[in-house]
Amino acid sequence: MARCFPFSSSVGQSTPTVSSKPSPTWEIKEEAPGPSATWIPPSSPPRTQGQKRKHSDWIPTGTQDRWAVKGMFGLKMQLKRRRMSPVRPEDHKAFNRLLEDPVIQNFLAWDRKLQVSDKYLLAMVIAYFARAGRPSWQYKRLHFFLALYLANDMEEDRQGPKHDMFAFLYGQDHTQRVKFQWLRAQLFRAIGWKAWVTREECEEIQAYQPEHWVWKRDRSLLQ
């Protein structure tokens, strides 16, 4: 949230001089601070390849803003509100810890064609962790798959590869799928129904650890 500080001024003993020049005026322009919270897909996809955009116990968090000078136009200064990423270092820490889970490692190794776990979908997992706002130590294997499943709901048309996550989580026990879908709905609710993650946000998340091996999971590099 932007905080305004008044200009400091010293009061002299002499009589102030009245100037005939007009005082500068300030014009504030607000821009959308973050992703859309509606179910209507925005016009620009966050990915290089075209996919569809659809639209507990978890604690949603808000998005912070800051102000920056956009430009000077004569005596007018125009300001714009810039979005500050809500992703915390502990969200990256939780994600990196979960990547050491042998079940998650086997799942990522299985998805050699990156159908359900390319670098953008994995960046969305971190974004959802940040929006849910849990302490990093609370995230478990199930939370990883819930977030990745929801990311695929937003980005992908193919249902088969996404449903293969159940085999890694529950094996042949199909009775757990209903509970998984209920928990997925709880995650959706916990992030304030804001499952849309822009390409810019994904790239900001990847830039936190640009040399991380997981960001090499790029579909455009597949032969």
Side-chain angles (χ1 to χ4, degrees):
M1 180 176 66
R3 299 178 59 187
C4 299
F5 297 90
F7 288 101
S8 60
S9 59
S10 59
V11 179
Q13 299 298 323
S14 59
T15 304
T17 303
V18 178
S19 174
S20 60
K21 296 181 179 180
S23 300
T25 58
W26 298 76
E27 180 180 327
I28 295 177
K29 179 180 180 181
E30 293 192 12
E31 295 183 352
S36 172
T38 65
W39 294 72
I40 303 176
S43 57
S44 58
R47 305 170 52 82
T48 55
Q49 301 184 8
Q51 288 89 18
K52 70 176 180 179
R53 283 286 186 190
K54 310 175 192 172
H55 287 2
S56 108
D57 319 332
W58 301 50
I59 304 173
T61 57
T63 302
Q64 297 179 345
D65 302 321
R66 61 183 176 185
W67 293 94
V69 176
K70 184 176 183 180
M72 294 290 294
F73 304 93
L75 295 178
K76 291 184 178 180
M77 179 182 292
Q78 191 175 70
L79 304 180
K80 66 176 181 179
R81 189 168 61 186
R82 298 175 59 187
R83 182 187 57 80
M84 294 181 65
S85 173
V87 179
R88 309 162 299 173
E90 50 262 44
D91 298 319
H92 289 275
K93 180 180 178 181
F95 178 77
N96 291 335
R97 174 174 54 80
L98 290 174
L99 290 178
E100 299 174 1
D101 185 295
V103 174
I104 293 176
Q105 289 181 348
N106 290 338
F107 173 77
L108 295 178
W110 165 82
D111 187 26
R112 293 188 300 272
K113 295 184 179 180
L114 310 181
Q115 297 182 84
V116 290
S117 62
D118 77 340
K119 64 179 183 178
Y120 288 106
L121 293 169
L122 292 172
M124 291 173 71
V125 171
I126 300 179
Y128 293 160
F129 284 179
R131 295 177 187 182
R134 278 180 176 266
S136 62
W137 59 268
Q138 289 189 3
Y139 288 109
K140 308 298 182 184
R141 176 193 304 164
L142 177 61
H143 298 123
F144 176 91
F145 282 105
L146 287 170
L148 187 60
Y149 194 97
L150 180 58
N152 275 270
D153 279 345
M154 295 296 296
E155 293 288 333
E156 303 296 333
D157 290 316
R158 292 164 293 190
Q159 298 296 317
K162 179 180 65 176
H163 291 162
D164 288 329
M165 294 184 196
F166 296 128
F168 286 89
L169 270 174
Y170 306 119
Q172 299 301 318
D173 185 1
H174 300 291
T175 62
Q176 297 294 326
R177 296 191 178 190
V178 174
K179 181 179 179 180
F180 181 92
Q181 293 292 356
W182 181 83
L183 290 172
R184 170 200 163 279
Q186 292 298 307
L187 168 60
F188 196 15
R189 176 176 175 269
I191 62 177
W193 318 107
K194 297 179 181 179
W196 162 256
V197 182
T198 65
R199 182 187 180 92
E200 178 187 17
E201 288 177 282
C202 289
E203 291 176 347
E204 286 177 0
I205 290 170
Q206 295 164 12
Y208 182 80
Q209 292 178 302
E211 301 303 322
H212 200 300
W213 63 268
V214 81
W215 308 137
K216 295 180 174 62
R217 299 175 66 86
D218 189 342
R219 289 182 189 175
S220 64
L221 301 179
L222 296 178
Q223 300 296 331

